[in-house]
């Protein structure tokens, strides 16, 4: 019997596929990419280290030849795959079916150098039927896809590694620039600039509560004396006043209240009633982009979390491939969806004919099929055995797919015009005549049934001449609101609309923006930092094309044309990077023109000072006259909680005043006689007992809990914070229970003795200064969560000789294991189900050893550091297996 080796990316995918293959097939995982461009100088082989281009990892002097290296953590994987290949008669490369998957297969082919027949095996769902079809329909490696992916990788490396060092010199160390990342950051900055420039306007209107034939309904003032009443849309965002030429009536508070009093006793009459039937059609099934948007809106999952969760569902055979721009459904999927509709909702809820959708996204590619439940019949969410976010995401995909084959919803839109004196009111209503697909899925809502009720606004049966009775007429004041910050969902939508980047990369791009400090995620909104403002201003002035959405979209277009063989990759890279107008020359020319002081300054109007970027973050700088009459520079750190849009002259003056005059005392601590101060630091406001002195170098300090405003803080509250932790009582099993305030917020702790402590974070409704023993015991009885409120995905148990168990968590940077205070990330491709206790112990020991080594290095003397290092053996590398440019030709379908 022939032996076939099948290589996939992850152990989870391998385990699922293994169950669908006949005897004689062995499935192994590559654990993601097996080689890549060097990440840092230590990975560059000795032979190339002295080369000018070595840090780029791309030989720009030799047809942009990439230098590929095998990372240290992949050498063992490659060795094991080579061993597995020795006993095989055939090799099947079964990595994902997109460009990235094709690239991984090519790299495997280059590294393994198989002497047996090699075929490419592709599938977009992991089911028995799909794997069986894929085995019968293998193909050759698609080199057009490989070249397209390689060109993108090289282009991204050229942009990132050429611009990032410039940012280190001119703005701050550790920053990065990217082909798509920098454009996305600029979108955030532009929105924040608009918020900063925004001026709020105020207006008043009336709302009436009326009744007729025993039913109540609401109506809103629309006209007065024949003139339209002003709404938020009538205001100029830059002035806060009505737009020029606006013919609307702006009511003052007094006018609105007086009018409300008059109309309560007026005679109300229905002037006109209008009913307009309409239909709503279901939205298409999910693409990568729309899945990220909807999961963010409904499930509050980040793009990164959504893709990680979707990848797990795909690899375990629950959904089809999750990286796609297509909204197309196969005949098999349509049949399965229609069967679900008929069995669950009845034939009247089926669309008259099978419904297909066309892709409208710019630069759509990888058009295999929309994201849907896998298989010839769809498992209902309750039949999957899934839990938590896996279940929530699967249910979202299931509902959206099933809804796509359901009948339209039929609605009637109603409008009633009412008159009372010179005032005209309008009441709007909506009646759902047939819910159709609303029964399964309402976009933006978690609960379709609740959404149906919420969407209906019923009005009583009214006709012209009817006289409803006023129950209440209320004057309402309004303020116009600044443009909303981008959420992850709205940023993904904007990037896709503009044709910037690929949806499959949005998750990593947004993650990088947050990780690099360009933005923070607050209440699901992406708030750009002062550093983002500084970097964007530098790029806008000196490299405007690289942050122009139109230019980036055209670049994306060209990259897609390269993948289709319409454009040659080498001339394109040559024109982009080399020559008089190339990026390399442009950066060299501009570097001398860019003043570091200017590039580290954030220009914000209306401030009595400037904002600068320093080693430790943003700070204010102002010129002041000192006590000696000499002009001096005053610098004050900006708290992280203050955003560019929120920093005004009043806040800046307060921070500078405190820095210049010293803190203002809240009062005296009666126990010690020390003054208690309210201060502002980089991480926000805090209270301090006494001042720093030789006798008291570290006075007692306490941060203000989240939600406590500095202006509302009393002396008693400050003293309470400074006296934390406070004893709540004794635990029934022995040991003290206390409440305190730590790095991650307020908490309760059970001190069991001998150094063993059990912590729980307080909930939003709990006050650290007043929480009692009973509530603390209630919290301590709850299952322990990891940092960020995470529940352990899996408890691996206690290693031999240890009192602490090891648990698996899902964090913002991926899966990791935790024991006590030591965390260690799981290797790429490893899932929670793949890790064993022995694996976890090995990872944690390696992490602990690395920390010790790092500490030893930091204490090494300068003399020892100056010694010439011994020659190191270069890491295992494979220089590109790509064809030289002179031998490259574009392979078109049908070519040999």
């Amino acid at each position: 019997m022939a032996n076939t080796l099948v290589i996939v990316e992850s152990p989870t995918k391998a385990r699922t596929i293994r169950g669908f293959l006949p005897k004689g097939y062995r499935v192994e995982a590559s654990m993601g990419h097996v080689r890549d461009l060097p990440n840092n100088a230590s990975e560059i082989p000795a032979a190339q280290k002295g080369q000018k281009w070595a840090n780029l990892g791309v030989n720009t002097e030799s047809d942009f030849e990439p230098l590929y290296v095998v990372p240290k953590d992949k050498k063992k994987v490659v060795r094991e795959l080579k061993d597995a290949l020795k006993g095989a008669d055939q090799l099947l490369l079964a990595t994902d079916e997109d460009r990235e998957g094709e690239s991984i297969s090519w790299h495997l082919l280059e590294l393994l150098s198989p002497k047996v027949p090699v075929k490419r095996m592709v599938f977009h769902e992991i089911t028995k039927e799909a794997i069986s079809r894929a085995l019968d329909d293998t193909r050759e490696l698609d080199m057009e896809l490989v070249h397209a992916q390689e060109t993108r990788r090289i282009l991204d490396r050229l942009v990132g590694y050429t611009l990032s060092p410039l940012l280190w010199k001119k703005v701050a160390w550790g920053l990065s620039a990217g082909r798509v990342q920098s454009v996305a950051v600029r979108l955030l900055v532009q929105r924040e600039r608009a918020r900063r420039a925004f001026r709020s306007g105020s207006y008043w209107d009336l709302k009436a509560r009326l009744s007729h034939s025993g039913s109540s309904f609401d109506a809103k003032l629309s006209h007065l004396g024949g003139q339209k009443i002003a709404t938020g849309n009538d205001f100029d965002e830059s002035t806060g006043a009505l737009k020029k030429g606006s013919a609307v009536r702006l009511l003052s508070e007094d006018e609105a209240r007086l009018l409300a009093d008059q109309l309560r006793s007026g005679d109300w009459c229905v002037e006109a009633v209008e009913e307009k039937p309409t239909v709503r059609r279901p939205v298409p099934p999910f693409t990568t982009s729309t899945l990220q948007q909807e999961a963010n809106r409904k499930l509050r999952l980040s793009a990164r979390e959504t893709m990680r969760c979707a990848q797990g569902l795909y690899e375990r055979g629950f959904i089809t491939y999750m990286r796609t721009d297509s909204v197309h459904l196969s005949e098999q999927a349509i049949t399965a969806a229609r069967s679900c509709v008929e069995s669950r909702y009845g034939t009247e809820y089926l669309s008259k004919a099978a419904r297909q959708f066309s892709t409208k996204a710019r630069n759509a590619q990888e058009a295999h099929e929309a994201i849907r439940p896998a298989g010839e019949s769809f498992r209902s969410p309750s039949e999957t055995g899934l839990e938590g976010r896996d279940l929530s995401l699967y249910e979202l995909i299931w509902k959206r797919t099933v809804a796509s084959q359901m009948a339209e919803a039929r609605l009637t839109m109603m409008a009633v015009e009412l008159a009372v004196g010179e005032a005209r009111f309008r009441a709007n209503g909506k009646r759902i005549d047939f819910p159709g697909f609303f029964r399964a899925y309402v976009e933006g809502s978690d609960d379709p049934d609740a959404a149906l009720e919420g969407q209906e606004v019923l009005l009583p049966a009214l006709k012209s001449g009817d006289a409803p009775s006023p129950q209440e007429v209320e004057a309402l004041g309004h303020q116009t609101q600044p443009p909303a910050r981008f959420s992850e969902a709205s940023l993904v939508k904007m990037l896709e609309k503009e044709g910037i980047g690929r949806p499959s990369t949005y998750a990593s791009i947004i993650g990088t923006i947050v990780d690099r400090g360009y933005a923070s995620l607050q209440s699901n909104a992406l708030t750009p930092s002062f550093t983002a403002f500084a970097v964007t201003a530098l790029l806008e002035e000196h490299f405007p094309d690289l942050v122009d959405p139109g230019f980036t979209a055209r670049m994306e277009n060209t990259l897609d044309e390269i993948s289709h063989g319409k454009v040659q990759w080498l001339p394109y890279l040559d024109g982009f990077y080399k020559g008089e107008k190339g990026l390399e020359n442009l950066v060299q020319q501009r570097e001398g023109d860019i003043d570091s002081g200017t590039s580290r300054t954030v220009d914000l109007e209306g401030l009595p000072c400037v904002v600068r970027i320093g080693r430790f973050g943003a700070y204010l700088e102002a010129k002041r006259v000192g006590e000696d009459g000499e002009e001096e520079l005053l610098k004050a750190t900006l708290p992280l909680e203050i955003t560019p849009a929120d920093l005004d002259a009043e806040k800046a003056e307060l921070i500078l005043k405190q820095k210049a005059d010293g803190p203002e005392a809240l009062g005296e601590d009666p126990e010690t006689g020390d003054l208690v101060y309210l201060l502002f630091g980089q991480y926000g406001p805090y209270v301090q007992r006494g001042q720093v002195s030789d006798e008291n170098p570290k006075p007692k300090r306490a941060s203000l809990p989240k939600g406590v405003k500095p202006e509302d803080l009393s002396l008693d509250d400050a003293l309470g914070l400074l006296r934390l932790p406070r004893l709540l009582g004794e635990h029934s099993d022995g040991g003290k229970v206390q409440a305190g305030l730590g790095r991650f917020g307020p908490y309760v702790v059970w001190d069991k003795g001998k150094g063993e402590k059990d912590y729980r974070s307080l909930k939003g409704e709990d006050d650290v200064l007043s929480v009692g023993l009973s509530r603390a015991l209630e919290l301590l009885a709850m299952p322990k969560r990891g940092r960020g409120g995470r529940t352990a995905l899996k408890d691996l148990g206690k290693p031999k000789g240890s009192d602490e168990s090891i648990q698996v968590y899902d964090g913002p940077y991926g899966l990791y294991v935790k024991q006590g205070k030591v965390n260690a990330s799981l290797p790429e491709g490893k899932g929670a189900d793949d890790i064993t206790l022995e694996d976890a112990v090995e990872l944690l020991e390696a992490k602990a050893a690395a920390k010790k080594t790092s500490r030893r290095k930091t204490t090494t003397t300068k003399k020892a550091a100056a010694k010439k290092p011994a020659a190191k053996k270069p890491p295992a590398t494979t220089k590109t297996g790509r064809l030289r440019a002179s031998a490259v030709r574009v392979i078109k379908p049908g070519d040999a």
Side-chain angles (χ1 to χ4, degrees):
M1 183 187 292
N3 292 316
T4 301
L5 175 63
V6 182
I7 301 180
V8 297
E9 297 95 329
S10 77
T12 305
K13 188 175 175 182
R15 189 168 52 250
T16 308
I17 289 173
R18 208 171 279 136
F20 300 136
L21 291 172
K23 287 183 179 179
Y25 284 80
R26 176 179 175 181
V27 188
E28 295 294 340
S30 71
M31 312 301 282
H33 284 275
V34 286
R35 67 175 190 173
D36 199 359
L37 303 176
N39 267 329
N40 50 56
S42 67
E43 289 189 352
I44 300 171
Q48 282 81 31
K49 270 198 172 170
Q51 301 293 331
K52 180 183 174 183
W53 53 267
N55 284 337
L56 273 177
V58 177
N59 190 346
T60 55
E61 299 166 2
S62 180
D63 297 336
F64 295 92
E65 187 178 19
L67 175 67
Y68 290 119
V69 301
V70 179
K72 286 182 180 179
D73 61 341
K74 291 301 171 69
K75 289 178 186 175
K76 182 182 175 184
V77 174
V78 173
R79 191 165 57 248
E80 289 172 347
L81 291 175
K82 285 182 176 179
D83 290 342
L85 186 59
K86 288 176 183 175
D89 303 309
Q90 181 184 213
L91 173 62
L92 290 181
L93 299 170
T95 51
D96 292 340
E97 59 178 340
D98 57 5
R99 279 189 295 247
E100 188 123 351
E102 206 75 17
S103 176
I104 292 173
S105 282
W106 176 72
H107 282 293
L108 284 166
L109 193 61
E110 290 292 314
L111 276 176
L112 300 179
S113 302
K115 302 293 188 291
V116 296
V118 181
K119 290 290 184 181
R120 182 81 168 94
M121 175 181 169
V122 293
F123 40 85
H124 69 274
E125 61 181 343
I126 305 176
T127 61
K128 188 175 179 60
E129 297 78 17
I131 298 302
S132 180
R133 285 194 299 270
L135 283 173
D136 296 334
D137 195 23
T138 56
R139 61 169 173 80
E140 300 299 320
L141 206 63
D142 187 337
M143 289 307 295
E144 282 187 358
L145 280 181
V146 173
H147 280 307
Q149 174 63 21
E150 189 172 58
T151 305
R152 283 172 184 272
R153 185 75 184 96
I154 292 171
L155 188 62
D156 288 340
R157 175 58 69 100
L158 294 176
V159 173
Y161 274 50
T162 304
L163 281 178
S164 297
L166 182 69
L167 298 181
W168 302 345
K169 296 175 188 174
K170 303 298 182 180
V171 183
W173 176 258
L175 297 177
S176 68
R179 180 173 61 88
V180 178
Q181 170 197 314
S182 297
V183 182
V185 170
R186 187 186 182 214
L187 291 174
L188 300 181
V189 168
Q190 286 178 321
R191 183 63 59 87
E192 197 75 359
R193 286 171 180 164
R195 286 176 65 86
R196 186 169 178 79
F198 175 80
R199 297 293 177 266
S200 181
S202 60
Y203 61 98
W204 286 76
D205 59 17
L206 302 185
K207 178 183 174 184
R209 185 73 173 166
L210 307 167
S211 66
H212 182 75
S213 300
S215 297
S216 297
F217 64 100
D218 293 332
K220 188 178 177 182
L221 178 67
S222 61
H223 292 77
L224 185 63
Q227 194 174 11
K228 182 176 174 290
I229 295 297
T231 65
N233 293 330
D234 297 309
F235 286 82
D236 186 330
E237 291 187 349
S238 63
T239 64
L242 288 175
K243 295 175 182 175
K244 287 183 179 179
S246 180
V248 296
R249 173 80 176 269
L250 182 61
L251 290 180
S252 67
E253 181 179 359
D254 291 341
E255 288 174 321
R257 294 192 184 282
L258 180 62
L259 183 61
D261 291 339
Q262 294 170 351
L263 298 183
R264 286 190 188 99
S265 56
D267 296 323
W268 293 69
C269 178
V270 174
E271 282 195 333
V273 177
E274 181 185 3
E275 290 195 357
K276 184 180 178 182
T278 186
V279 296
R280 296 276 174 82
R281 293 179 177 82
V283 289
F286 282 126
T287 62
T288 301
S289 168
T290 53
L291 178 64
Q292 290 174 4
Q293 292 172 46
E294 195 73 340
N296 183 246
R297 282 193 293 258
K298 287 188 176 183
L299 308 179
R300 285 294 183 260
L301 293 179
S302 69
R304 190 185 270 172
E305 289 169 330
T306 299
M307 294 309 292
R308 190 183 302 127
C309 187
Q311 177 119 16
L313 291 174
Y314 162 67
E315 290 180 345
R316 286 179 285 162
F318 287 104
I319 64 171
T320 53
Y321 191 54
M322 66 287 160
R323 293 189 182 96
T324 176
D325 293 328
S326 177
V327 291
H328 175 78
L329 287 177
S330 65
E331 290 301 319
Q332 169 189 301
I334 289 173
T335 301
R338 294 179 72 80
S339 174
C340 282
V341 175
E342 191 169 1
S343 62
R344 182 165 288 226
Y345 304 108
T347 53
E348 70 272 23
Y349 281 91
L350 268 176
S351 59
K352 291 180 180 177
R355 189 181 282 114
Q356 275 289 13
F357 300 87
S358 58
T359 302
K360 297 179 182 178
R362 194 191 295 189
N363 294 335
Q365 51 99 30
E366 296 165 11
H368 305 111
E369 194 175 359
I371 303 169
R372 62 164 177 86
E376 295 180 352
S377 61
F378 295 165
R379 283 173 283 186
S380 70
S382 60
E383 295 170 340
T384 60
L386 294 169
E387 295 179 345
R389 63 175 60 172
D390 286 345
L391 176 61
S392 299
L393 194 66
Y394 178 82
E395 188 172 27
L396 203 63
I397 295 166
W398 185 91
K399 286 178 177 178
R400 179 123 163 182
T401 309
V402 169
S404 72
Q405 297 304 313
M406 292 179 72
E408 296 95 344
R410 297 194 296 273
L411 304 90
T412 299
M413 312 303 289
M414 299 170 285
V416 178
E417 301 287 345
L418 301 111
V420 50
E422 289 190 339
R424 296 294 179 270
F425 281 72
R426 183 180 179 90
N428 293 311
K430 183 190 332 184
R431 184 177 67 242
I432 297 175
D433 302 314
F434 177 68
F437 74 94
F438 281 172
R439 284 287 305 278
Y441 185 86
V442 180
E443 196 168 22
S445 171
D446 293 329
D447 185 347
D449 291 329
L452 286 179
E453 295 174 16
Q455 285 202 1
E456 273 201 316
V457 182
L458 298 176
L459 298 177
L462 293 164
K463 61 181 184 299
S464 184
D466 282 346
S469 304
Q471 292 179 313
E472 179 57 54
V473 181
E474 185 182 6
L476 299 175
H478 306 275
Q479 292 285 126
T480 57
Q481 298 300 311
R485 291 187 175 105
F486 282 105
S487 63
E488 286 201 35
S490 59
L491 181 60
V492 165
K493 187 175 183 179
M494 176 65 78
L495 290 171
E496 185 179 38
K497 178 186 171 187
E498 296 292 335
I500 301 167
R502 302 269 12 108
S504 58
T505 65
Y506 293 159
S508 62
I509 288 163
I510 294 172
T512 301
I513 288 171
V514 174
D515 295 345
R516 295 283 182 175
Y518 285 123
S520 59
L521 198 55
Q522 301 170 1
S523 304
N524 207 37
L526 288 162
T527 305
S529 64
F530 289 98
T531 302
F533 268 65
V535 169
T536 298
L538 184 151
L539 295 177
E540 284 174 334
E541 182 178 353
H542 298 283
F543 308 97
D545 280 350
L546 294 181
V547 286
D548 174 42
F551 178 84
T552 308
R554 289 192 296 275
M555 188 185 293
E556 200 66 50
N557 231 354
T558 305
L559 289 169
D560 283 336
E561 288 178 339
I562 289 171
S563 71
H564 298 136
K566 296 177 182 177
V567 173
Q568 293 286 340
W569 60 270
L570 183 57
Y572 177 69
L573 285 177
D574 204 69
F576 174 79
Y577 193 71
K578 291 186 170 183
E580 188 179 339
K581 295 183 179 179
L583 179 64
E584 182 182 36
N585 189 49
L586 192 60
V587 170
Q588 289 172 356
Q589 287 178 344
R590 296 283 181 166
E591 186 171 345
D593 300 334
I594 301 172
D595 177 68
S596 298
T598 303
S599 60
R600 291 188 179 114
T601 302
V602 180
D603 186 21
L604 299 175
E605 292 182 5
L607 296 183
C609 56
V610 296
V611 178
R612 295 198 192 279
I613 307 301
R615 284 181 62 194
F616 305 107
Y619 64 92
L620 299 177
E621 184 178 283
K623 290 181 179 178
R624 292 289 171 96
V625 177
E627 293 180 1
D628 57 0
E630 294 291 323
E631 195 173 64
E632 60 184 16
L633 276 180
L634 180 64
K635 298 179 181 180
T637 300
L638 266 172
L640 291 176
E641 62 188 27
I642 293 183
T643 66
D646 299 333
L647 181 62
D648 54 22
E650 186 179 350
K651 284 191 179 77
E653 285 285 8
L654 181 64
I655 295 169
L656 289 168
K657 183 177 184 299
Q658 189 186 81
K659 181 70 176 180
D661 302 342
E664 188 174 333
L666 295 171
E668 187 179 286
D669 185 340
E671 292 182 6
T672 65
D674 292 322
L675 291 175
V676 176
Y677 301 97
L678 173 64
L679 300 120
F680 294 86
Q682 183 183 6
Y683 301 105
Y686 63 94
V687 290
Q688 176 178 298
R689 182 167 54 215
Q691 294 216 36
V692 178
S693 63
D694 292 339
E695 296 78 24
N696 188 21
K698 291 185 177 180
K700 174 75 174 178
R701 292 172 177 170
S703 298
L704 268 60
K706 192 175 181 180
V708 176
K709 295 180 180 179
E711 57 268 27
D712 297 335
L713 188 74
S714 67
L715 176 61
D716 287 341
D717 291 335
L719 290 171
L721 293 171
L722 290 166
R723 287 167 187 158
L724 293 174
R726 63 188 185 90
L727 180 65
L728 303 182
E730 296 288 328
H731 196 283
S732 57
D733 292 335
K736 298 176 181 178
V737 178
Q738 295 176 305
L741 189 63
R743 183 181 170 192
F744 303 109
Y747 64 85
V748 289
V749 58
W750 172 22
D751 188 345
K752 301 178 182 181
K754 295 184 179 179
E756 187 179 357
K757 295 182 179 181
D758 194 8
Y759 290 86
R760 294 293 185 278
S761 294
L762 290 178
K763 306 297 182 185
E765 66 272 15
D766 296 317
D767 182 356
V768 68
L769 299 180
S770 60
V771 68
L773 179 61
S774 59
R775 173 59 176 159
L777 294 174
E778 182 185 337
L779 290 169
L780 288 164
M782 293 179 181
K784 191 168 187 177
R785 292 176 177 266
R787 188 177 299 175
R790 300 181 193 98
T791 306
L793 301 178
K794 187 178 180 182
D795 193 324
L796 300 173
K798 296 178 181 179
K800 191 174 180 180
S802 174
D803 294 329
E804 290 185 295
S805 64
I806 299 176
Q807 295 173 313
V808 184
Y809 288 93
D810 189 2
Y813 307 110
L815 296 174
Y816 65 95
V817 288
K818 178 181 177 69
Q819 184 185 32
K821 295 182 179 180
V822 182
N823 295 355
S825 297
L826 266 62
E828 186 182 351
K830 277 263 187 185
D833 295 332
D834 307 317
I835 196 82
T836 64
L837 179 61
E838 291 73 24
D839 294 334
V841 169
E842 191 176 322
L843 289 170
L844 290 164
E845 285 177 349
K847 182 65 177 286
K851 281 186 175 180
K852 288 178 183 176
T853 304
S854 177
R855 280 196 292 269
R856 283 200 299 270
K857 283 181 179 178
T858 58
T859 57
T860 301
T861 63
K862 290 182 181 179
K863 184 177 178 181
K867 287 181 181 178
K868 187 177 179 180
K872 290 184 181 178
K873 186 179 178 181
T877 67
T878 304
K879 245 187 133 182
T880 179
R882 191 178 70 185
L883 295 170
R884 297 284 294 176
S886 57
V888 168
R889 68 186 182 92
V890 176
I891 302 172
K892 296 180 180 178
D895 285 357

